[in-house]
């Protein structure tokens, strides 16, 4: 005969065992950031020994808050977005929030459906990357709903965001390549319609090339944001005016391009230089290590979550541009004279 489970401990019983008030126990689970760390650790230890878990459903019904935020990213196959998730989720957990995650595959229709699905789950706010801020029906829906949100990686003068300055970052990389003697540089991206970040990087690269008197930046478009197209590379590298450096809009794309170049019998960087954008940790493990623009993806996620939680608590929305830097690896070298 099955035994009945023991009854759940209540907040009052946990408070009695911990020697604190029920209000303090409630704050430990609902607003842990305002509880003294020693007290918080003691309450959690008592609750764990007692097998106590807060009733989130009942709490949500009473407070009108689910203590859950939604996170919508294009993909998790690119480590840049996985790092963003880790930063956001860690910051949310510190404040007693859970995270619901979904990926859109760079598809605006999936993006819109994902937002609506999370709103239907009554999340308290959203962190998201959209395909194109200037044409996003998703953001119009969010503004109409009144739900707090913060963009990550997108930049906008009208919507709150956390990102690097994509134009400035791309400009810095072009200047770095120019300092090594490169005058013919191509930017390699996936479809620009699905990534306004790549489009801003192309704009920044072209503006820098014009300022420095370099040849106009060539644009090589791939069908995928993270996969190379060997035929597109062959076409771009034909002739005496072929680029001497390929600046890829993300690190995964850069590694795919390098693999195709090697398959074509070219050596990187002896025959052609390649660099990326993101600063993923795996880039340092390549031989030679990848030259790239590093952006603090974990910090972007953490900053966006902090801004979202501030909005949820009634503070005005704000935007943050985080610093980037050039990581000098071995895949870009001076032009042969």
């Amino acid at each position: 005969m099955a035994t009945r489970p023991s009854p759940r401990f209540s907040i009052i019983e946990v408070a009695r065992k911990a020697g604190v008030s029920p209000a303090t126990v409630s704050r430990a689970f609902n607003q842990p950031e305002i509880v003294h760390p020693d007290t918080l650790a003691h309450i959690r230890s008592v609750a764990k020994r007692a097998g106590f878990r807060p009733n989130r459903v009942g709490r949500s019904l009473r407070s009108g808050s689910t203590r859950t935020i939604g996170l919508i990213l294009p993909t998790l196959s690119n480590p840049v977005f996985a790092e963003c998730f880790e930063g956001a989720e860690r910051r949310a957990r510190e404040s007693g929030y859970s995270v619901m995650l979904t990926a859109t595959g760079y598809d605006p229709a999936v993006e819109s459906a994902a937002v609506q699905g999370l709103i239907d789950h009554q999340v308290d706010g959203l962190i998201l990357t959209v395909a194109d801020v200037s044409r996003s029906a998703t953001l119009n829906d969010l503004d109409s709903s009144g739900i707090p949100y913060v963009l990550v990686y997108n930049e906008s003068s009208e919507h709150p965001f956390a990102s690097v300055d994509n134009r400035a970052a791309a400009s810095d990389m072009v200047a770095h390549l120019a300092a090594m003697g490169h005058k013919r540089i191509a930017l390699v991206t996936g479809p620009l319609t699905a990534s306004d970040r790549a489009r801003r990087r192309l704009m920044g690269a072209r503006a820098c090339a014009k300022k420095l008197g370099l040849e106009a930046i060539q644009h090589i478009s791939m069908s995928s944001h993270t996969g190379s197209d060997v035929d597109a590379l062959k076409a771009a590298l034909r002739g005496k005016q072929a680029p001497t450096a390929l600046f890829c809009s993300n690190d995964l794309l850069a590694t795919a391009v390098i693999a195709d170049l090697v398959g074509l019998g070219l050596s990187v960087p002896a025959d052609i230089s390649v660099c990326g954008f993101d600063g993923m940790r795996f880039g340092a493990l390549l031989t030679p290590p990848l030259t790239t623009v590093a952006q603090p993806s974990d910090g972007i996620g953490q900053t966006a979550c902090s801004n979202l939680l501030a909005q949820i608590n009634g503070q005005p929305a704000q935007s943050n541009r985080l610093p980037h830097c050039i990581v000098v690896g071995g895949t870009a070298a001076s032009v042969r004279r």
Side-chain angles (χ1 to χ4, degrees):
M1 181 176 178
T3 58
R4 295 181 62 185
S6 58
R8 291 172 60 97
F9 268 71
S10 68
I11 281 181
I12 294 175
E13 290 166 312
V14 172
R16 179 176 56 80
K17 286 181 174 290
V20 298
S21 70
T24 301
V25 176
S26 178
R27 284 191 290 271
F29 288 101
N30 296 323
Q31 296 176 286
E33 67 275 10
I34 69 173
V35 179
H36 190 280
D38 292 341
T39 304
L40 181 62
H42 176 58
I43 292 172
R44 286 179 171 173
S45 176
V46 170
K48 183 177 181 180
R49 290 198 303 271
F52 172 80
R53 295 180 64 84
N55 186 336
R56 291 185 177 271
V57 174
R59 185 176 67 197
S60 298
L61 292 173
R62 290 190 299 271
S63 67
S65 168
T66 61
R67 304 289 293 185
T68 303
I69 61 175
L71 182 56
I72 300 173
L73 297 169
T75 179
L76 290 184
S77 63
N78 188 338
V80 66
F81 295 116
E83 284 196 14
C84 176
F85 165 73
E86 289 182 355
E89 195 277 335
R90 185 175 61 254
R91 178 65 185 87
R93 186 171 2 105
E94 290 170 353
S95 295
Y97 279 76
S98 299
V99 176
M100 293 182 68
L101 171 67
T102 188
T104 64
Y106 294 94
D107 187 331
V110 175
E111 176 186 295
S112 181
V115 166
Q116 192 55 58
L118 288 170
I119 292 176
D120 290 345
H121 276 87
Q122 299 183 340
V123 295
D124 293 342
L126 286 169
I127 298 170
L128 71 163
T129 301
V130 298
D132 187 340
V133 168
S134 64
R135 304 174 184 175
S136 177
T138 297
L139 296 180
N140 293 335
D141 292 342
L142 280 174
D143 288 334
S144 298
S145 73
I147 186 171
Y149 67 90
V150 178
L151 295 166
V152 282
Y153 300 107
N154 302 112
E155 298 171 75
S156 173
S157 60
E158 300 177 0
H159 309 280
F161 69 85
S163 176
V164 296
D165 186 328
N166 284 283
R167 291 188 190 184
S171 176
D172 287 349
M173 178 56 83
V174 170
H176 175 71
L177 293 171
M180 292 190 290
H182 293 280
K183 297 181 179 180
R184 299 191 304 277
I185 301 168
L187 189 76
V188 186
T189 76
L192 296 182
T193 54
S195 176
D196 59 5
R197 288 81 65 203
R199 188 166 64 248
R200 293 180 74 89
R201 292 166 194 173
L202 178 59
M203 294 169 65
R206 283 179 166 167
C208 182
K210 183 177 181 180
K211 177 181 177 181
L212 296 177
L214 309 180
E215 294 188 20
I217 296 287
Q218 181 181 349
H219 178 219
I220 305 173
S221 181
M222 302 295 184
S223 59
S224 166
H225 287 282
T226 55
S228 177
D229 181 335
V230 68
D231 290 332
L233 285 177
K234 284 181 180 178
L237 297 178
R238 291 192 188 108
K240 295 182 178 180
Q241 296 304 307
T244 59
L246 301 179
F247 177 14
C248 301
S249 63
N250 65 71
D251 286 352
L252 275 184
L253 182 56
T255 59
V257 164
I258 290 172
D260 274 350
L261 291 172
V262 171
L264 292 172
L266 298 174
S267 175
V268 176
D271 296 319
I272 187 168
S273 290
V274 179
C275 54
F277 194 116
D278 282 336
M280 293 291 92
R281 287 188 288 266
F282 70 78
L285 304 177
L286 299 180
T287 304
L290 184 65
T291 295
T292 185
V293 179
Q295 58 178 337
S297 290
D298 185 284
I300 286 173
Q302 184 172 338
T303 299
C305 190
S306 293
N307 291 348
L308 180 63
L309 294 175
Q311 282 190 66
I312 292 171
N313 290 322
Q315 298 179 36
Q318 62 176 328
S319 294
N320 295 89
R321 277 196 171 93
L322 282 73
H324 64 272
C325 67
I326 302 296
V327 175
V328 179
T331 57
S334 298
V335 175
R336 288 182 175 179
R337 301 298 180 184

